Amino acid sequence: MTISFVSTGTYASVNATSFDIPYPTSVTTDNMLLSFIGNKAFGTTVSANTGGWTQGSTGTSGSVASGNGTGSVRGTVFEKSADTSDSNTNSSWTFAAGITVGQGRIIQFSRSGGSSWSTAHTTLTDTSETGTSVSATGSSISISSGDMLVFGVIIKDDVPNHTSQTVTVPGCTLGTVTWLAKNSTTTGADGAMYIGYVSVTSGSSSGAPTYTATSSVSGAASTAVSFTRLREVTSVTETPTDDAGATDNSVTAVDYIKSETDNEPLSDTSVQVIDFSRTQDDPENLTDTVTADLGNLQSETDNLATSDTF
């Protein structure tokens, strides 16, 4: 089974309480849609007007008031298993009061197997307002081989670039991270966003994931990273061959015709009934009790020499 990146919608930004984020083109039913949204002021939350979206996680890089290229950011991720309604061009979102800049992008993933999706979310944060070294960490979530990790990195200004970007998960080996092109906006109080994804090739998590990078602008290290784990889930239904509680029944009926030495008018009939069953807690490989009820009928005029075999 494999989880694969399919497509991305167009980046959108706004300095207003409502905005639309375009869907990716050719959305396929049962694919996973993730909407990564970043905003300032840090205390402003966002909600979906379009049905079916569920918030995965939200978190902030601190509590610094919003300014032009300054201030703490909020990162939020929503998830949705795609359906036929997602053929619309845009999804609609609303920010609470206090918005100074909002930005968002939706990406689509597919699975090659499994019967459903399993997701887990956390927010990685770096609250530092000094230097160029970025190191954001969050809470531990279950991660194992075969999972897909997806992350939206929210930055407080449009100018800084992140280089030497790495994502690590203790106990896991990851493949090569694919980063989508940086998006940025000078709308309102400015901001930027990176989105990336990577497959887990082996291991299982033993600690919290971490995002590290180097910022091209000193004092712009504070970051909120919305971090999502995608997993294929397979439901298995088995029919036990001989579990406790199983009952086996068999009925065999056999007719026997007269033997050769019988007088011509005579006929002998024997009926054999076999019934066997297991008790509820009977384990496999135990002998099943067999009871037989055998009856032999012959006419009164049978000679002594008559042989009835059954």
Side-chain angles (χ1 to χ4, degrees):
M1 297 189 297
T2 304
I3 299 174
S4 302
F5 170 79
V6 177
S7 59
T8 177
T10 304
Y11 171 81
S13 63
V14 71
N15 180 19
T17 55
S18 297
F19 82 128
D20 291 338
I21 305 177
Y23 280 108
T25 57
S26 302
V27 173
T28 301
T29 298
D30 290 333
N31 279 358
M32 176 57 66
L33 299 175
L34 297 174
S35 179
F36 289 96
I37 299 176
N39 65 270
K40 295 190 298 187
F42 69 88
T44 301
T45 57
V46 63
S47 58
N49 300 324
T50 306
W53 289 97
T54 300
Q55 181 176 295
S57 66
T58 187
T60 68
S61 64
S63 56
V64 178
S66 176
N68 189 359
T70 62
S72 299
V73 298
R74 176 179 292 274
T76 306
V77 60
F78 289 80
E79 65 172 74
K80 182 180 186 183
S81 183
D83 57 40
T84 55
S85 68
D86 299 315
S87 59
N88 296 326
T89 304
N90 295 316
S91 60
S92 176
W93 306 83
T94 297
F95 288 108
I99 186 70
T100 60
V101 62
Q103 52 183 330
R105 195 172 187 183
I106 297 174
I107 56 177
Q108 178 181 197
F109 288 86
S110 66
R111 51 184 169 83
S112 63
S115 56
S116 62
W117 291 95
S118 169
T119 60
H121 308 270
T122 185
T123 302
L124 318 182
T125 59
D126 183 344
T127 61
S128 174
E129 295 293 331
T130 62
T132 60
S133 179
V134 180
S135 181
T137 191
S139 301
S140 297
I141 57 175
S142 172
I143 297 172
S144 60
S145 180
D147 291 346
M148 176 70 75
L149 308 180
V150 195
F151 18 87
V153 181
I154 309 302
I155 305 172
K156 64 184 179 181
D157 192 14
D158 63 299
V159 176
N161 295 316
H162 281 193
T163 58
S164 303
Q165 296 167 288
T166 62
V167 175
T168 57
V169 179
C172 292
T173 300
L174 308 183
T176 301
V177 176
T178 298
W179 291 100
L180 305 184
K182 173 190 173 184
N183 296 117
S184 61
T185 180
T186 56
T187 299
D190 298 351
M193 170 188 290
Y194 286 97
I195 292 179
Y197 58 92
V198 65
S199 295
V200 181
T201 58
S202 65
S204 59
S205 58
S206 59
T210 299
Y211 167 80
T212 61
T214 300
S215 173
S216 62
V217 176
S218 182
S222 64
T223 303
V225 181
S226 298
F227 189 98
T228 295
R229 183 221 70 206
L230 302 179
R231 179 179 294 169
E232 295 173 298
V233 176
T234 302
S235 298
V236 179
T237 302
E238 295 181 351
T239 303
T241 55
D242 202 9
D243 281 354
T247 301
D248 302 314
N249 293 305
S250 176
V251 177
T252 303
V254 182
D255 288 338
Y256 293 87
I257 306 303
K258 68 180 187 298
S259 63
E260 291 181 1
T261 57
D262 270 347
N263 287 341
E264 190 172 9
L266 299 182
S267 63
D268 301 313
T269 303
S270 175
V271 178
Q272 182 183 35
V273 179
I274 300 176
D275 180 61
F276 57 95
S277 61
R278 292 183 174 82
T279 60
Q280 283 193 327
D281 58 353
D282 214 8
E284 282 189 61
N285 300 323
L286 288 191
T287 302
D288 300 302
T289 302
V290 178
T291 59
D293 184 6
L294 304 178
N296 181 58
L297 301 177
Q298 64 183 35
S299 68
E300 294 181 357
T301 56
D302 249 357
N303 290 337
L304 291 177
T306 298
S307 173
D308 302 311
T309 302
F310 54 87

